[in-house]
Amino acid sequence: MAMTSLALPDAMRRPCPPLRLGLIALLVIAAALSLGTGAAGVSLPQVLGQWLTGEEISTRDRVVLLDIRLPRLAMGLMVGAALAVAGAVMQGLFRNPLADPGIIGVGAGAGLGAVAMIVLSGFLPATIAAFFGTWLVPVAAFGGAWTATLLLYRVASRGGQVSIATLLLAGIALAALAGALTGILTYLADDAQLRDLTFWGMGSLAGASDMKLLVGGLLIGPALLLTPRLARGLNALALGEATAAHMGHDIERLKHRAVIGVAALAGAAVAMAGGIGFVGIVVPHLLRFAGGPDHKTLLVDAALLGAALLVLADLIARLVVAPAELPIGIVTAILGAPVFLWILIRRQGLGGV
Amino acid sequence: MKRFALIAAILTAGPALAEPARVISLGGAVTEIVVALGAEDRLVARDTTSQYPERITELPDVGYVRALSAEGVLALDPDLILAEATAGPPEAVETLKAAGVDFVALPGDPSVQGVREKIAVVGTALDREEAAERLTASFDAEMDAVRKSAGAVATPKRVLFVLSLQNGRVMAGDDGSSAEAIIELAGGVNAATGFAGYKPVTDEAILAADPDVILTMDREGEMAVTKRDILAHPALGQTRAARGGALVAMDGMLLLGFGPRTPQAAQALHAALYPEAED
């Protein structure tokens, strides 16, 4: 029974369509490039060869592959998939192609949580600080994301019904409030903290650790597996709330699940990797462009493309200024913003002008 | 088990590794100390803030000291990393240690004692204790000379350090900032007080502080604070400093770096603050 309710989307039972195959191929290539390329010049074939022939692999090569590139790859896959799927769900829920998880306060809340921790962690009792260690900021970011989401949901719910319009407006108000509080903390921050919070805002996959991946995976994994179940509801919702309800969809339950799913996905992604923009907006757009608006395929494809693109963006971030590295949010914005503009122009039918 | 084996290997190999051959220095003052100890030939890379001596900038730049790339640093095969206290992120530092790189974090206090400690730690790490003692001795002697001139000042001048002047907003160096520390070493007093670090200051507070001297960094481009900017500023332009033309611009790394050149910085600032005391 659990199996049927967890059934894979229809699209995955049918033979793989070309788009899906292409995305899987892209993902595999991105993953191989990510593992095989980097400043340290450790190549995958060489290490695999050594491993197969039983030759000893140097500590440095092992650390580079297993402690640096592999966790980064895993985090890139997770965060990219989470951001893209969260964006696709939000756009479906709001029936607005500009929606991203930021609208329900995930970004603002996470930002406030992270900045608060960067600036105020000095005031925490040493035992608590020691217990969380490098986790302090991710945990606070996730806490902030969830607090903001739940608060908004409370505000937008009345008598068991959630008003999408109120959710949107309250989201704007809450983002402004969180922005102001972040501003106060920024003002209080010292020189070094200012730099830390600037870098947090630009995102990075550099902090990948086994524990972070485990906890992030426990949040993102189930949420990714469950979101395809929203596909039918989101498809119906595209026709309007009333129509969807007439078609027999429990719209309130759909909204509830969509918001929880997005908060888990985007909250965990932001907590792990900081501020990474444009993946959530651009990936669903590209896919609607290439494969149509059906959420049954869109949600799965978004996970694949989001993961592949973020891994490639990280590769660029690691290589362009090696031995230093760029914050990944800069790369996603530089690549994502022009693509987004291009899509908008095409949508307007101005492509030939 | 593997970790124990690794530690054991490092411990037993200790004497052989006495002189680390490939060193990465993170932080302007740290790099200056390495150079001053005569270990420049062992440096294989440096961070963005290491700009002195200028030839050091030809070495690969591993990026900003708080946002290091573990793989980028490992790519240079270092066996010793000397880093100022703020080096990070912590995950990158952990990874570097796991890869068997010696990572030495230095004390970061912007004070004379802080510089002496830095010199001692770098000297030990590079196995250049004697050179470190000589450097400390000459540093102390230079500092004594500066203290003598600074101590002879009858009425200390009140100095406002302007870090930046973006959109007309003055960022000043306040309590506990390295700017305050160097101003005091040079025999002045910080005119901006009230909060810690570098902070935006209101125009009225600047008028109230009415500094005798305005101190800036002589950098170029957008971040530069020019004489014209200061004179045109509604508050800064009205201060005693601006009216008397007492505007001092100095090299930022020299001024605020708190490394072996700090006595020179203090002496230069002292001379700029009290030109009338020149013989």
Side-chain angles (χ1 to χ4, degrees):
Chain A
M1 196 204 128
M3 275 313 290
T4 48
S5 65
L6 258 173
L8 293 166
D10 297 345
M12 282 187 76
R13 280 195 231 118
R14 277 186 250 120
C16 247
L19 177 63
R20 175 77 45 87
L21 279 177
L23 291 175
I24 291 172
L26 180 68
L27 188 61
V28 172
I29 293 169
L33 279 177
S34 165
L35 273 185
T37 327
V42 177
S43 89
L44 202 51
Q46 166 222 330
V47 175
L48 279 180
Q50 285 175 325
W51 183 66
L52 286 174
T53 57
E55 210 179 314
E56 198 175 339
I57 300 165
S58 74
T59 309
R60 172 175 168 273
D61 289 3
R62 214 188 51 225
V63 165
V64 167
L65 269 184
L66 300 183
D67 294 356
I68 298 179
R69 289 190 197 160
L70 195 62
R72 272 188 100 119
L73 170 63
M75 188 146 118
L77 294 174
M78 258 192 236
V79 169
L83 289 174
V85 171
V89 171
M90 273 285 101
Q91 292 171 14
L93 183 65
F94 284 93
R95 284 183 278 144
N96 183 332
L98 294 175
D100 80 349
I103 284 185
I104 56 164
V106 175
L112 179 57
V115 172
M117 203 42 82
I118 289 169
V119 177
L120 303 176
S121 60
F123 296 105
L124 279 181
T127 45
I128 296 184
F131 179 74
F132 284 110
T134 57
W135 280 74
L136 228 41
V137 172
V139 166
F142 190 73
W146 268 89
T147 310
T149 310
L150 294 181
L151 198 66
L152 275 183
Y153 207 71
R154 257 323 253 280
V155 173
S157 307
R158 180 142 303 167
Q161 297 210 325
V162 176
S163 157
I164 291 290
T166 312
L167 204 58
L168 180 66
L169 291 172
I172 293 171
L174 199 82
L177 183 63
L181 294 175
T182 305
I184 293 176
L185 290 165
T186 308
Y187 178 82
L188 291 173
D190 68 26
D191 215 29
Q193 291 164 342
L194 267 181
R195 286 173 181 257
D196 277 347
L197 56 94
T198 308
F199 276 107
W200 186 88
M202 293 191 288
S204 172
L205 298 183
S209 65
D210 296 348
M211 272 310 275
K212 225 185 231 178
L213 290 172
L214 182 67
V215 176
L218 285 177
L219 285 161
I220 291 175
L224 278 181
L225 288 175
L226 290 172
T227 36
R229 298 172 70 194
L230 303 172
R232 281 169 196 280
L234 291 173
N235 280 347
L237 197 61
L239 306 169
E241 259 188 62
T243 317
H246 283 307
M247 287 165 71
H249 288 279
D250 185 343
I251 296 300
E252 294 313 318
R253 207 167 74 152
L254 174 71
K255 289 178 194 164
H256 185 76
R257 289 180 169 184
V259 168
I260 298 286
V262 169
L265 288 171
V270 178
M272 286 164 85
I276 298 179
F278 281 99
V279 177
I281 287 188
V282 167
V283 168
H285 270 288
L286 279 175
L287 290 170
R288 270 191 231 102
F289 210 67
D294 184 354
H295 286 91
K296 281 180 214 152
T297 52
L298 183 65
L299 292 176
V300 181
D301 289 348
L304 294 171
L305 185 59
L309 287 187
L310 202 66
V311 167
L312 288 176
D314 183 50
L315 192 63
I316 295 174
R318 289 193 279 136
L319 290 180
V320 276
V321 293
E325 73 181 54
L326 278 178
I328 192 170
I330 294 177
V331 180
T332 59
I334 283 181
L335 299 177
V339 172
F340 189 53
L341 273 175
W342 175 74
I343 295 170
L344 290 180
I345 292 169
R346 291 293 295 256
R347 275 168 52 97
Q348 297 282 335
L350 298 173
V353 177
Chain B
M1 269 314 283
K2 256 182 201 160
R3 187 155 289 178
F4 283 120
L6 190 67
I7 291 170
I10 291 170
L11 287 179
T12 50
L17 291 174
E19 280 226 334
R22 297 182 64 82
V23 180
I24 295 183
S25 170
L26 307 173
V30 185
T31 307
E32 284 182 34
I33 293 172
V34 174
V35 173
L37 294 182
E40 188 181 339
D41 53 335
R42 291 197 243 157
L43 280 180
V44 292
R46 44 104 205 180
D47 74 318
T48 315
T49 63
S50 299
Q51 305 269 355
Y52 182 90
E54 208 182 320
R55 58 179 183 276
I56 221 80
T57 56
E58 283 164 23
L59 289 173
D61 179 356
V62 295
Y64 180 58
V65 63
R66 297 177 78 85
L68 298 170
S69 152
E71 179 167 351
V73 173
L74 273 184
L76 298 154
D77 272 324
D79 39 35
L80 172 66
I81 295 173
L82 297 167
E84 66 179 41
T86 51
E91 293 91 349
V93 174
E94 286 309 311
T95 311
L96 290 172
K97 288 178 182 166
V101 182
D102 263 337
F103 192 98
V104 176
L106 297 165
D109 214 16
S111 68
V112 169
Q113 188 51 31
V115 178
R116 300 176 90 247
E117 283 167 15
K118 272 187 247 182
I119 294 174
V121 175
V122 174
T124 309
L126 292 174
D127 203 27
R128 287 276 166 111
E129 278 98 346
E130 274 176 42
E133 276 164 30
R134 282 198 300 275
L135 180 62
T136 307
S138 67
F139 173 82
D140 285 346
E142 288 177 49
M143 253 353 278
D144 281 343
V146 181
R147 277 207 199 90
K148 205 169 279 172
S149 342
V153 171
T155 44
K157 292 206 173 157
R158 301 172 55 260
V159 184
L160 179 73
F161 175 70
V162 177
L163 177 71
S164 68
L165 191 53
Q166 300 255 312
N167 302 320
R169 204 170 69 149
V170 177
M171 293 280 278
D174 298 287
D175 299 348
S177 66
S178 41
E180 180 175 86
I182 194 77
I183 288 169
E184 284 172 0
L185 286 180
V189 280
N190 188 7
T193 51
F195 31 67
Y198 298 91
K199 284 288 146 57
V201 181
T202 66
D203 290 358
E204 290 189 26
I206 290 167
L207 288 174
D210 198 17
D212 302 311
V213 178
I214 292 173
L215 175 64
T216 59
M217 294 194 268
D218 61 348
R219 43 187 174 183
E220 289 173 0
E222 208 191 326
M223 293 297 283
V225 181
T226 65
K227 201 168 172 173
R228 218 176 57 186
D229 292 338
I230 289 173
L231 294 178
H233 189 272
L236 289 175
Q238 299 305 312
T239 55
R240 198 190 304 255
R243 278 180 281 129
L247 311 176
V248 177
M250 281 178 62
D251 175 56
M253 240 355 262
L254 172 67
L255 191 65
L256 305 177
F258 276 85
R261 288 190 296 155
T262 289
Q264 282 161 259
Q267 191 66 61
L269 180 57
H270 175 78
L273 293 182
Y274 307 101
E276 65 276 11
E278 293 289 295
D279 304 328

